[in-house]
Amino acid sequence: MSEDEPSAPYPRARPTAAIIAGSLAFTAWMYLSLVAFALVCLPTLLGPRRFTLEIARLWAAGVLFGLRLFCGVKVEIRGREHMPTAGGFIAAKHFAMLDTIAPLLVLPDASYVLKRELMSLPFYGWYARKLDMLPVDRSGGAGALRLLVHGARERMAEGRQILIFPEGTRREPGDPPDYKPGVAGLYRELNAPCIPLATNSGLFWPAHGFLRFPGTVVFEFLTPIPPGLKRAAFMAQAQARIEEASTRLLNEAA
């Protein structure tokens, strides 16, 4: 991969005219399709949740198709043997919006932990509610965690997968990790294995801006962390496993 900034920890390809044009075309493709799906599929909000889930998957498949067509970005899934097929708890690295799109296509029925404010957005919030995502009030303290745990237990009992981004927001490749304690609270209360999910998505779909860079995004499910660890031990292991695997994937692609 050619270098853009030699001093950058993970240099990207130079933003050539082709990359800029492809990125603009993809951005239009993604957001216009999002508006079209959101409007045309509004009636599904009155039907079973399964209908809305299939619509979300169809849109996600279209996003990945456009990403490859316009930007030359492929998506590869590794560690499928560790991926939950029924109820499960996943802690994932978060570099890009793509990290919320790709799992829709590979997980049977995921429920994401997301900021409560997102549930108030028109269209996005309506679909998120219909899909029974898990809103959390970041300033709500212990009470917010209790509500989150209650909702997560319900969804796991239904055979769904709980997906949380422990850092709470998108990071740039090379940024120091910033894992929040909420993931440890969920791990303790759910008393279930935690499946780490690593990625290198930030090299090809940056956290900010519209540029997309050609290459292969890898999402890798890692060996589950068994339940029952003490809080400090779990946090140390989860962070180490996710960060080490994500760094390995970044280095492979850089």
Side-chain angles (χ1 to χ4, degrees):
M1 182 177 290
S2 61
E3 292 189 359
D4 181 17
E5 294 290 342
S7 61
Y10 296 103
R12 299 186 177 99
R14 294 184 182 277
T16 62
I19 286 176
I20 293 171
S23 298
L24 287 170
F26 170 71
T27 300
W29 168 276
M30 182 177 71
Y31 286 108
L32 288 175
S33 68
L34 177 61
V35 171
F37 269 82
L39 291 173
V40 172
C41 300
L42 274 176
T44 67
L45 297 178
L46 301 176
R49 184 177 61 82
R50 176 60 60 178
F51 290 172
T52 306
L53 177 60
E54 293 307 319
I55 292 299
R57 284 179 172 157
L58 185 60
W59 174 75
V63 170
L64 266 59
F65 172 79
L67 192 60
R68 184 166 184 169
L69 175 67
F70 296 116
C71 303
V73 178
K74 304 174 185 178
V75 174
E76 176 186 343
I77 307 297
R78 298 180 186 173
R80 289 179 182 268
E81 67 273 18
H82 303 309
M83 189 174 67
T85 56
F89 177 44
I90 301 164
K93 186 65 181 176
H94 195 17
F95 287 127
M97 182 179 175
L98 181 61
D99 308 336
T100 68
I101 297 172
L104 286 171
L105 294 173
V106 295
L107 293 173
D109 193 359
S111 181
Y112 295 17
V113 177
L114 46 76
K115 294 185 295 186
R116 186 184 62 176
E117 294 81 1
L118 295 175
M119 305 296 278
S120 301
L121 295 177
F123 294 102
Y124 182 96
W126 303 343
Y127 282 89
R129 288 181 186 277
K130 184 65 179 182
L131 291 171
D132 278 341
M133 298 305 184
L134 282 163
V136 61
D137 180 1
R138 291 181 175 179
S139 61
L145 179 59
R146 284 194 295 271
L147 287 174
L148 176 61
V149 168
H150 176 74
R153 282 174 172 164
E154 286 186 337
R155 286 155 182 75
M156 280 194 67
E158 295 167 358
R160 301 184 64 187
Q161 304 79 48
I162 310 304
L163 191 151
I164 186 172
F165 299 104
E167 293 173 286
T169 189
R170 291 169 291 180
R171 311 283 290 173
E172 290 284 357
D175 282 353
D178 183 23
Y179 283 57
K180 304 297 192 294
V183 65
L186 267 181
Y187 167 79
R188 180 188 67 244
E189 297 298 332
L190 291 175
N191 193 30
C194 175
I195 302 164
L197 176 57
T199 187
N200 62 1
S201 60
L203 276 183
F204 311 101
W205 185 318
H208 307 288
F210 74 94
L211 291 177
R212 308 290 179 257
F213 298 89
T216 300
V217 173
V218 177
F219 292 94
E220 183 174 351
F221 292 90
L222 307 174
T223 305
I225 300 171
L229 295 180
K230 297 293 185 181
R231 175 176 175 148
F234 166 74
M235 287 293 288
Q237 187 171 154
Q239 178 172 315
R241 296 268 301 282
I242 295 170
E243 293 300 313
E244 287 171 5
S246 294
T247 297
R248 169 173 50 80
L249 295 176
L250 288 165
N251 289 335
E252 286 177 4

